[in-house]
Amino acid sequence: MALSMADLPSVFSLLSNALSADPNVRKPAEATLSEFESRPGFCSSLLEIITSETLAAHTEVRLLATVYLKNSVNRYWRHRRDSYGISNEEKAYLRKKLLTDLRETNYQSADVLISHRVYMVLFCALKELSTKRLSVDQRSFSEICSHFLEYSWGLWQRDFQTIFHRLSSLPQSSFVAAAVEGQDDLQLICERWLLCLKIIRQMILFGFPSDAKSVQEGNHEHLQFIKKSCYKMMKVLVLIQNTHPYSFSEEQVLSPILEFCLNKIINPEPVLLASEHFLIQCMVMVMSVVDCIHYKPIITGSVINGSVASVEERKKNLAKVVDVILKSVLTGDRIVFLCNILVRRYFLLSANDLEEWNRDPEVFHHEQDLMQTTDKLRPCAEALFIIFFENHAGVLGPFVVSILHEAMSGCSSTGSEITPALLLKEAAYGSAGYTYYELSKYLNFKAWYEGALALELSNNHPNQRIIHRKVAWILGKWVSEIKDGLRKPVSYALMNLLQGGDLAVKLAAVRALYCLIEDDNFYELDPSDYFPICWKLCFKLFEDVQIFESKVAVLNLISLIIERLGDRVIPFANELAIFFRKLWDESAGESLLQVQLLVALKNLIVSLGPRSPMCYSVVLPILRFGIDIANPDELSFLEDSVLLWEATLTQAPSMVPQLLDLFPYLVAIMERSFDHLQVAMNITECYLVLGGLEFLNVHAENLVKLLHGTVNNVSDKGMPPVLQTIETLIKCFPKDAPPLINSVLQNLTLMCLSGADDSNPSKAAVKASAGSILARIMVVNTNYLVHLVSEPSFSTILQQVGVSLDQNILLSLVDVWLEKVDNIPFIQRKTCALALAVSLKFRETQILEKLEQIVSVCTSVIVDDDEAKDESSFAEADSIGAQNNLDSFGTGSTIEMRKRQIKESDPIKQLALENILKENLHACAAIHGESNFNSAMGRIHPSVLSQLQQALKMA
């Protein structure tokens, strides 16, 4: 009788019992399974159990089912006399099931397991073949190795990476548990990795002729393989040290590896010199160890009588152990010896370097900057030298000075040939440049410059470009030591280098000049004999260079000089404008370069100040292009363009039609995003202050659109600049502006009346600022505010947003002013106090209930205002005098002057609060009756009444 799916539980139970240690259970199960072997459907049942995902945890049962399946297939695949065997239908089912479903999902992966067994067989076969000594057998073995070596090496690398990442990704706290969970899978991979290593060893040792017998190097592929293997192994050690520094710090590991690397750096074999990558990894290993933060001494306290050592204490102890190892391996003499090797052997420019320099100086210059420490041997050696100097400056400082003197005495500054002595001097200069921050303790830079570097620069022989470039680089590094009278000769020396013929030297001089001028101690030289030469040289160099980085370097130098000169750039403005116009046209399509040009134009505008209109013919067309969001490159230009726009308006002496026409672009920018909100609000303020009524008449609709869009959509954190702009608008146009921005003011009123804000500081600040704006309107345009909050449409809006009030809107605003008056600047406090005083004329009787609070706020503001006037009288006189001095030097701007005028003419500042309060108290008594008013006054605290009487005496 054939077995079916319904028999699967029975078969599974029999397999489980067959694994039992109890013979009374095991033997009957084995007998029944033996009877089942010849029945149709038995193999299919076994295969279902083997491939079932729900039974993945029952590994032993599934493995036993695999054994029974193998045996059954061996016995019954072919028909036998005593059995029908496996039917053709079941055979087809078994084949299909094996091909489609037999993919092991647990740790005993079929792929890994099969690969492991294949390599075990391969290793045994190769081991056997490698022992044969007949020539024909050795040739066959060599041919086999040529086919298998590359693949085996690749698999070994992949397995190593898998093992390394699997171990590294395990958290230490759960390392044991995780390792147990996946130990079989990882164990198989480790075993295969080891088999691959043994196979590679067999093939390298016996699959290729020995070079000791042939007195020849191995074939090219073999040699490249060895080099690559050494490089990979060293790189692996570096990665392990970086990932597991404390495990690597064992003396049996750290000391021999460090010794090995140092020996290879000091005495490399010829084959290693030809393989830079291996030496680079040796240097990287030394750097990683010497500069490892985990190996630095830890200065912390320890717990007295602590029973268990803390993590920090264990780290401290390990750091001490490493420190002992490093001191024993890297003694002072050995460090000096090693650095001497680095400078004399690895710092030297090679023949390939000089050939690249001759072929394309500009490319050579930038490649020296872009090379990473792991790309080339020389920058790696330089990085190692720097790390040694940082950790052992006391030992290496005198060494650098000594090698400098030796190199300078061994190579005259008047030489003309590229000799080993000249290359050594270039390398020694390099060692002094890399260590400038500490070497100043051991080397007098002024004496060095005047006694050697200046003489080097005076030799104009073409071969001296090697030294000239290094000297220019040194001057850029040692800029902090170029002081007082040394700055002028150094500046002129660098400009002389700009007149040379080698682009690498010129670009080094550009960088040094930039560092010199950027320094805070920049010596303000006479521009009449300094900068005209510099402009022309920079313009000429810009035409000579081709690479983007070179153009940016020159343009940045020009931009920095403009910034440093200030208004002294005016005589050169036309020349600069022509250059910038030409540069913009020629750099079409090079958006990154044009962005740098926008920065330079901004510096030019700021430096020209009120004279900036003289370059509007260049600036404004470029500005219009940059702020147009329809421009395909607007993502590159927009940020710097709006900054240029802000600077142009800030420095403009008056509004011109071309600037006035640009405002719609700002609306389009803000409709798209608020990325430039702060700058956009500054620009809007400039238009309000500078354009005045003309701007309002032309762009009223655009202005309303801009403010309405921002107030409705900007978050609380972005609202302060928007509110400041609205306040400026109302200051400039107290009567015309409020009706114009009716919808905006309704939104501000909603902000003031909606919800509590105690838990949100940003919302509280916005509510206070919005309240002070409404208070200003209350003071300067009372009728409009009353009309605004009385509109039926506004009451509908309040209901729609869910704001419910137990009193009318004006009284609710009074509560807001009373609540926020203590948390705002003084001028806003006075504004709210004036609004509260004006509110005393309300006819609502509830105003009498708030009388004490209103009087208390007003009197405190009056007292504070009086004290502030006394304290600021002298400070105000000083600030006016200082501002007059600034204006006399041309640094004052029209915008700032007009802002001061608006501030001085502000009605809030001019109004006397005590007079307004007195006037409105009389009005309140007249509106509500003397008896009601006196009753409310009688409820006021005596101290407040005393302050009120004192304030009213001032009126």
Side-chain angles (χ1 to χ4, degrees):
M1 182 178 178
L3 296 176
S4 64
M5 295 295 291
D7 297 310
L8 282 178
S10 301
V11 175
F12 180 82
S13 177
L14 289 170
L15 291 169
S16 299
N17 292 340
L19 293 170
S20 174
D22 186 357
N24 296 325
V25 176
R26 185 180 69 253
K27 289 183 178 180
E30 289 176 344
T32 306
L33 287 171
S34 297
E35 295 174 2
F36 279 8
E37 282 185 353
S38 60
R39 292 175 61 179
F42 180 65
C43 291
S44 299
S45 300
L46 293 173
L47 191 56
E48 289 292 338
I49 293 172
I50 293 168
T51 58
S52 174
E53 294 184 1
T54 58
L55 301 176
H58 301 278
T59 307
E60 295 82 1
V61 175
R62 296 171 66 204
L63 286 175
L64 184 59
T66 305
V67 173
Y68 271 97
L69 177 62
K70 176 184 71 80
N71 293 337
S72 297
V73 168
N74 284 336
R75 292 172 185 168
Y76 302 107
W77 192 263
R78 294 189 179 91
H79 290 288
R80 297 171 56 179
R81 294 180 180 179
D82 57 345
S83 172
Y84 292 106
I86 302 174
S87 66
N88 292 331
E89 292 80 6
E90 188 172 4
K91 287 179 182 179
Y93 172 78
L94 292 174
R95 290 192 187 100
K96 184 177 180 181
K97 185 74 172 176
L98 285 169
L99 290 173
T100 57
D101 293 341
L102 190 53
R103 299 294 299 170
E104 187 60 64
T105 57
N106 71 344
Y107 53 79
Q108 287 193 3
S109 169
D111 291 339
V112 177
L113 187 59
I114 292 170
S115 178
H116 174 267
R117 290 178 177 175
V118 166
Y119 271 82
M120 184 180 293
V121 173
L122 178 61
F123 171 66
C124 294
L126 290 175
K127 186 176 181 182
E128 180 66 26
L129 291 174
S130 66
T131 60
K132 297 183 179 296
R133 291 293 173 262
L134 293 177
S135 298
V136 63
D137 294 330
Q138 290 184 352
R139 283 195 298 271
S140 298
F141 184 66
S142 179
E143 185 177 356
I144 292 171
C145 292
S146 66
H147 290 296
F148 279 106
L149 181 60
E150 183 176 356
Y151 179 78
S152 300
W153 170 248
L155 182 63
W156 182 84
Q157 285 182 299
R158 290 193 296 274
D159 282 349
F160 188 91
Q161 290 176 354
T162 301
I163 296 167
F164 182 76
H165 289 304
R166 287 277 293 274
L167 293 177
S168 301
S169 63
L170 295 176
Q172 292 183 358
S173 58
S174 58
F175 182 87
V176 175
V180 170
E181 183 180 348
Q183 63 182 353
D184 292 329
D185 184 17
L186 189 59
Q187 181 68 24
L188 283 172
I189 296 175
C190 290
E191 289 178 5
R192 186 176 67 184
W193 173 83
L194 185 59
L195 279 172
C196 285
L197 185 61
K198 292 179 179 179
I199 289 170
I200 292 169
R201 182 193 64 187
Q202 289 295 117
M203 288 191 286
I204 290 176
L205 293 179
F206 302 106
F208 301 93
S210 172
D211 56 12
K213 297 178 180 178
S214 62
V215 198
Q216 294 179 355
E217 293 184 355
N219 62 53
H220 180 71
E221 292 182 0
H222 185 197
L223 184 61
Q224 290 300 113
F225 171 78
I226 294 175
K227 289 181 180 179
K228 188 176 180 180
S229 302
C230 294
Y231 162 71
K232 290 289 186 181
M233 288 300 294
M234 185 54 66
K235 188 174 181 179
V236 166
L237 289 174
V238 172
L239 292 173
I240 292 174
Q241 192 279 329
N242 291 335
T243 308
H244 305 288
Y246 291 116
S247 299
F248 201 86
S249 65
E250 291 289 335
E251 185 175 4
Q252 295 83 356
V253 177
L254 179 59
S255 184
I257 291 177
L258 197 57
E259 285 282 2
F260 172 82
C261 292
L262 292 173
N263 289 334
K264 294 305 174 186
I265 295 170
I266 295 171
N267 297 307
E269 294 86 352
V271 67
L272 288 182
L273 284 175
S275 177
E276 284 192 0
H277 293 298
F278 177 75
L279 279 178
I280 287 172
Q281 290 303 317
C282 289
M283 292 182 182
V284 171
M285 171 59 76
V286 178
M287 281 191 282
S288 300
V289 172
V290 174
D291 206 40
C292 181
I293 189 173
H294 303 286
Y295 297 161
K296 302 294 182 184
I298 301 175
I299 305 175
T300 56
S302 57
V303 180
I304 299 176
N305 297 327
S307 57
V308 181
S310 67
V311 173
E312 291 301 321
E313 288 174 346
R314 293 200 298 273
K315 289 181 178 180
K316 186 194 299 186
N317 294 334
L318 288 170
K320 289 179 180 178
V321 172
V322 174
D323 186 56
V324 172
I325 296 173
L326 292 180
K327 286 181 178 178
S328 64
V329 175
L330 292 169
T331 61
D333 292 340
R334 192 172 192 184
I335 291 171
V336 171
F337 178 71
L338 178 62
C339 289
N340 192 30
I341 293 290
L342 292 176
V343 175
R344 295 178 184 273
R345 180 184 298 160
Y346 297 108
F347 277 26
L348 301 179
L349 290 171
S350 65
N352 289 336
D353 293 330
L354 296 176
E355 183 181 349
E356 290 177 8
W357 191 340
N358 289 329
R359 187 186 312 119
D360 195 329
E362 188 179 1
V363 171
F364 174 80
H365 170 80
H366 291 294
E367 282 186 349
Q368 305 312 301
D369 294 336
L370 296 176
M371 278 193 300
Q372 300 294 321
T373 56
T374 55
D375 291 341
K376 296 287 185 179
L377 191 56
R378 180 157 49 84
C380 188
E382 291 164 352
L384 179 58
F385 179 84
I386 292 171
I387 287 176
F388 273 128
F389 195 93
E390 288 174 349
N391 290 275
H392 306 281
V395 175
L396 292 176
F399 158 73
V400 174
V401 174
S402 67
I403 199 171
L404 266 179
H405 287 300
E406 178 188 343
M408 289 187 294
S409 62
C411 180
S412 172
S413 58
T414 59
S416 59
E417 297 294 329
I418 300 179
T419 62
L422 182 127
L423 296 178
L424 177 61
K425 182 162 66 172
E426 191 270 349
Y429 282 178
S431 68
Y434 296 126
T435 56
Y436 64 94
Y437 46 89
E438 285 285 346
L439 197 59
S440 56
K441 299 176 183 177
Y442 307 94
L443 182 64
N444 185 315
F445 180 79
K446 184 177 181 181
W448 182 28
Y449 177 80
E450 294 176 344
L453 300 183
L455 298 176
E456 304 281 9
L457 297 178
S458 64
N459 183 352
N460 294 321
H461 192 278
N463 286 337
Q464 279 295 112
R465 70 188 190 280
I466 296 174
I467 299 299
H468 287 179
R469 178 180 173 275
K470 187 62 73 174
V471 171
W473 175 78
I474 287 172
L475 294 176
K477 293 289 186 180
W478 283 75
V479 67
S480 60
E481 297 296 318
I482 304 175
K483 302 174 182 177
D484 304 327
L486 197 59
R487 284 185 173 269
K488 186 170 184 176
V490 168
S491 300
Y492 277 101
L494 290 172
M495 281 195 293
N496 286 334
L497 292 181
L498 289 178
Q499 301 179 60
D502 189 272
L503 281 180
V505 176
K506 289 182 179 181
L507 292 171
V510 165
R511 178 180 300 166
L513 272 171
Y514 186 93
C515 295
L516 186 65
I517 297 172
E518 186 185 36
D519 187 58
D520 292 336
N521 299 318
F522 173 65
Y523 185 80
E524 297 184 358
L525 299 171
D526 182 5
S528 62
D529 63 348
Y530 179 80
F531 290 106
I533 303 172
C534 198
W535 297 133
K536 290 181 174 58
L537 293 173
C538 288
F539 296 162
K540 175 66 170 59
L541 179 57
F542 198 92
E543 294 176 356
D544 294 339
V545 296
Q546 301 296 325
I547 299 177
F548 167 75
E549 288 81 4
S550 303
K551 295 178 180 180
V552 169
V554 178
L555 186 56
N556 285 344
L557 176 59
I558 295 172
S559 179
L560 180 64
I561 294 174
I562 293 171
E563 181 183 349
R564 289 296 194 180
L565 274 179
D567 59 357
R568 292 178 300 167
V569 79
I570 292 173
F572 317 107
N574 289 329
E575 190 178 359
L576 286 166
I578 293 171
F579 170 73
F580 288 148
R581 177 76 262 181
K582 179 182 177 184
L583 173 56
W584 180 266
D585 293 338
E586 292 178 350
S587 60
E590 298 182 70
S591 57
L592 294 177
L593 182 60
Q594 290 182 324
V595 166
Q596 299 301 317
L597 178 56
L598 291 172
V599 176
L601 285 172
K602 173 178 169 289
N603 288 340
L604 178 61
I605 288 288
V606 172
S607 296
L608 290 175
R611 303 288 297 275
S612 57
M614 65 191 301
C615 63
Y616 276 2
S617 60
V618 173
V619 172
L620 295 186
I622 294 175
L623 178 58
R624 181 183 291 271
F625 179 83
I627 61 177
D628 185 0
I629 60 173
N631 175 11
D633 292 325
E634 59 90 15
L635 288 176
S636 302
F637 293 142
L638 191 57
E639 181 176 357
D640 293 285
S641 295
V642 293
L643 292 174
L644 174 60
W645 193 0
E646 179 188 22
T648 304
L649 287 168
T650 303
Q651 302 301 325
S654 62
M655 182 61 67
V656 297
Q658 299 94 318
L659 277 174
L660 195 63
D661 293 341
L662 296 178
F663 187 74
Y665 288 100
L666 186 65
V667 180
I669 291 170
M670 296 302 290
E671 283 181 340
R672 196 187 62 173
S673 74
F674 297 120
D675 293 342
H676 312 287
L677 178 63
Q678 178 67 63
V679 181
M681 291 300 105
N682 293 344
I683 291 172
T684 306
E685 277 199 78
C686 289
Y687 273 106
L688 290 170
V689 174
L690 196 63
L693 194 58
E694 179 189 7
F695 165 72
L696 200 64
N697 291 334
V698 175
H699 292 297
E701 184 179 349
N702 285 321
L703 178 63
V704 173
K705 189 177 181 180
L706 174 67
L707 294 177
H708 184 77
T710 51
V711 169
N712 279 352
N713 297 290
V714 171
S715 66
D716 292 332
K717 291 184 178 180
M719 279 298 292
V722 182
L723 296 175
Q724 181 180 335
T725 303
I726 295 172
E727 187 174 22
T728 301
L729 173 62
I730 297 172
K731 283 181 182 179
C732 294
F733 312 103
K735 297 297 181 183
D736 299 331
L740 187 66
I741 57 171
N742 190 77
S743 60
V744 174
L745 294 176
Q746 284 185 344
N747 284 330
L748 296 188
T749 308
L750 284 175
M751 290 179 188
C752 292
L753 300 180
S754 58
D757 53 26
D758 296 337
S759 60
N760 190 333
S762 298
K763 188 176 182 64
V766 169
K767 188 173 181 179
S769 297
S772 70
I773 291 174
L774 297 174
R776 175 177 289 276
I777 299 174
M778 182 71 177
V779 176
V780 299
N781 201 342
T782 308
N783 292 334
Y784 169 75
L785 185 63
V786 173
H787 170 74
L788 173 72
V789 300
S790 302
E791 290 182 357
S793 60
F794 186 57
S795 299
T796 304
I797 294 173
L798 286 175
Q799 293 175 359
Q800 290 175 348
V801 298
V803 175
S804 59
L805 304 175
D806 55 2
Q807 55 189 354
N808 72 25
I809 297 174
L810 284 175
L811 288 174
S812 298
L813 287 176
V814 169
D815 289 340
V816 172
W817 296 329
L818 290 171
E819 176 190 356
K820 298 298 180 184
V821 72
D822 293 329
N823 301 319
I824 51 180
F826 177 76
I827 190 65
Q828 293 183 352
R829 287 186 62 209
K830 185 178 179 181
T831 305
C832 291
L834 286 167
L836 290 170
V838 173
S839 69
L840 291 172
K841 292 190 294 186
F842 291 172
R843 295 189 175 277
E844 289 79 5
T845 56
Q846 292 97 322
I847 199 68
L848 294 176
E849 298 174 3
K850 308 176 190 295
L851 183 60
E852 180 176 9
Q853 291 176 280
I854 293 173
V855 170
S856 176
V857 168
C858 291
T859 53
S860 65
V861 171
I862 291 170
V863 173
D864 292 345
D865 191 17
D866 188 52
E867 293 176 354
K869 287 178 181 178
D870 292 338
E871 293 176 359
S872 64
S873 58
F874 293 106
E876 188 173 329
D878 291 341
S879 65
I880 292 173
Q883 190 60 50
N884 289 335
N885 291 334
L886 287 175
D887 292 340
S888 67
F889 284 104
T891 56
S893 67
T894 303
I895 287 288
E896 294 302 321
M897 181 183 68
R898 294 195 181 182
K899 283 184 177 180
R900 289 197 300 272
Q901 291 174 351
I902 293 171
K903 182 179 179 181
E904 293 300 323
S905 61
D906 186 4
I908 301 298
K909 186 173 183 179
Q910 294 180 346
L911 287 173
L913 177 57
E914 54 270 22
N915 293 334
I916 301 296
L917 178 61
K918 183 177 182 180
E919 175 186 340
N920 285 284
L921 283 172
H922 288 306
C924 183
I927 291 170
H928 297 285
E930 291 290 340
S931 59
N932 291 333
F933 178 76
N934 291 334
S935 175
M937 291 292 291
R939 293 193 294 271
I940 297 177
H941 194 276
S943 62
V944 177
L945 283 175
S946 175
Q947 286 185 346
L948 176 62
Q949 292 170 358
Q950 181 182 356
L952 294 180
K953 288 179 183 178
M954 303 176 186

